[in-house]
Amino acid sequence: DAGVIQSPRHEVTEMGQEVTLRCKPISGHDYLFWYRQTMMRGLELLIYFNNNVPIDDSGMPEDRFSAKMPNASFSTLKIQPSEPRDSAVYFCASRNRGEAFFGQGTRLTVV
Amino acid sequence: AQSVTQLGSHVSVSEGALVLLRCNYSSSVPPYLFWYVQYPNQGLQLLLKYTSAATLVKGINGFEAEFKKSETSFHLTKPSAHMSDAAEYFCAVSDGGSQGNLIFGKGTKLSVKP
């Protein structure tokens, strides 16, 4: 398996624009997580899914953020409209019955 | 609720010295515990895991951790630090054993001096 795949690896966008981050989990994993990492706040859990169903979205900062998992092999995290304070590295991870496996992350810069 | 506390946001050791990174957990169920490492500009990578088998767990790159239930600890050690060990280390506990979310500590940045 190629591991958790995130795209794009880097995204630079202007304030107010819509941003969509994508994640392909490891096949057979039934949990999918979205995290955000910044210098100031460290690693934060935004939302996680079990069998494509959102279980806990209490970490989503505000209504500008939304996440979907239409099927077991794909998830998106959307920010609309984006703001400079959304600049961070966003990680996707998936898990079956053991450890979580992380993608390489998407570095988002909002200017 | 499950939680993790990592003591020391920054640890500095000399090359060849012992590495000790501390992690204490709180869990209402038998815990699944993990240590992850993050190198600059990379994702988190699993170092080792405890899932209720042997209490001394060996991981990659010469690291090991000991699960101590009486102390609710899962400290990470390495006998001799190498320059390549410089990275950020995260301890995590599973929210529900083999299922659920992983609760991460705030991380410890390890520096290795020549």
Side-chain angles (χ1 to χ4, degrees):
Chain A
D1 202 313
V4 177
I5 299 174
Q6 292 187 246
S7 63
R9 288 295 310 277
H10 302 274
E11 176 81 39
V12 180
T13 190
E14 291 185 348
M15 183 174 62
Q17 295 297 306
E18 177 181 294
V19 175
T20 299
L21 310 182
R22 296 172 175 78
C23 175
K24 176 178 168 53
I26 293 173
S27 177
H29 283 194
D30 52 3
Y31 286 90
L32 183 138
F33 310 92
W34 282 101
Y35 293 90
R36 178 173 69 176
Q37 188 176 39
T38 61
M39 291 288 291
M40 292 297 295
R41 301 173 70 95
L43 189 66
E44 303 173 276
L45 175 68
L46 299 178
I47 185 172
Y48 78 95
F49 297 83
N50 179 218
N51 293 322
N52 313 336
V53 176
I55 302 301
D56 184 355
D57 65 354
S58 60
M60 296 286 262
E62 47 199 275
D63 292 346
R64 296 186 297 108
F65 285 69
S66 62
K68 294 182 179 180
M69 192 164 185
N71 57 61
S73 59
F74 185 65
S75 177
T76 60
L77 178 68
K78 187 176 294 187
I79 308 172
Q80 165 65 13
S82 58
E83 297 182 3
R85 61 190 167 122
D86 301 330
S87 297
V89 180
Y90 291 80
F91 288 104
C92 176
S94 69
R95 181 186 190 204
N96 190 3
R97 290 290 181 263
E99 68 269 31
F101 292 81
F102 281 75
Q104 289 296 297
T106 295
R107 183 175 295 276
L108 174 65
T109 303
V110 183
V111 298
Chain B
Q2 279 62 252
S3 67
V4 164
T5 302
Q6 290 185 242
L7 294 175
S9 59
H10 196 170
V11 170
S12 183
V13 300
S14 297
E15 192 172 20
L18 171 73
V19 176
L20 171 61
L21 304 182
R22 298 178 187 274
C23 173
N24 288 90
Y25 70 92
S26 170
S27 179
S28 56
V29 299
Y32 278 36
L33 295 160
F34 308 87
W35 275 101
Y36 283 83
V37 61
Q38 185 180 30
Y39 299 104
N41 300 314
Q42 295 190 26
L44 278 71
Q45 175 185 354
L46 183 73
L47 267 181
L48 50 80
K49 62 183 178 183
Y50 168 78
T51 56
S52 73
T55 57
L56 182 62
V57 181
K58 294 187 183 300
I60 61 171
N61 301 337
F63 284 92
E64 62 182 36
E66 186 172 9
F67 171 70
K68 291 187 176 180
K69 184 177 179 180
S70 60
E71 299 177 8
T72 61
S73 69
F74 190 57
H75 301 330
L76 182 71
T77 61
K78 182 174 180 177
S80 176
H82 193 272
M83 297 296 291
S84 60
D85 295 326
E88 189 157 19
Y89 293 79
F90 293 89
C91 183
V93 63
S94 173
D95 195 28
S98 63
Q99 303 184 49
N101 182 26
L102 295 192
I103 312 297
F104 282 87
K106 293 188 180 301
T108 298
K109 189 162 288 187
L110 176 67
S111 300
V112 182
K113 299 174 292 187

